[in-house]
Amino acid sequence: ASFMSKPQCAPSTADEAPSPDHITDYDRAHLATYLSLLYAAGEGENDHVMARNILRIDPEKEPHRAQQALESHLKRARWLAESGYQSLLEA
């Protein structure tokens, strides 16, 4: 018997990340997405690549949606990195 589980599919990305000043279920489900965005942005990756590869939104087909989603998710990722993580530690 194999002890390895099947890989989990990444949750789908909303057009806009949540914005309350507390951690949401969406945030918990998208922690890997937020970390990937922070890393890619820190490495200077361009917006189209981040939207396509991390958020799985095609910026050629849906430029407005891709930009809106990227901006809101990066903003949320930065909030989590700066202060929101404290809620995760307390939980």
Side-chain angles (χ1 to χ4, degrees):
S2 173
F3 291 101
M4 295 187 64
S5 62
K6 291 182 181 179
Q8 296 292 320
C9 247
S12 62
T13 304
D15 289 355
E16 197 162 333
S19 58
D21 25 340
H22 63 273
I23 303 292
T24 67
D25 288 341
Y26 183 91
D27 293 325
R28 286 184 190 87
H30 289 82
L31 285 174
T33 300
Y34 295 141
L35 291 172
S36 296
L37 286 171
L38 289 172
Y39 180 79
E43 292 293 306
E45 195 60 74
N46 79 52
D47 290 359
H48 282 209
V49 171
M50 288 191 287
R52 182 179 299 109
N53 296 345
I54 299 171
L55 300 181
R56 297 187 325 257
I57 299 171
D58 186 339
E60 302 300 323
K61 291 181 181 175
E62 300 179 277
H64 179 73
R65 177 176 176 239
Q67 192 62 38
Q68 176 183 332
L70 181 60
E71 287 173 7
S72 74
H73 283 79
L74 262 175
K75 181 178 178 181
R76 188 64 172 178
R78 289 180 178 126
W79 174 80
L80 280 165
E82 292 165 8
S83 62
Y85 71 91
Q86 294 171 349
S87 298
L88 289 173
L89 297 175
E90 294 166 2

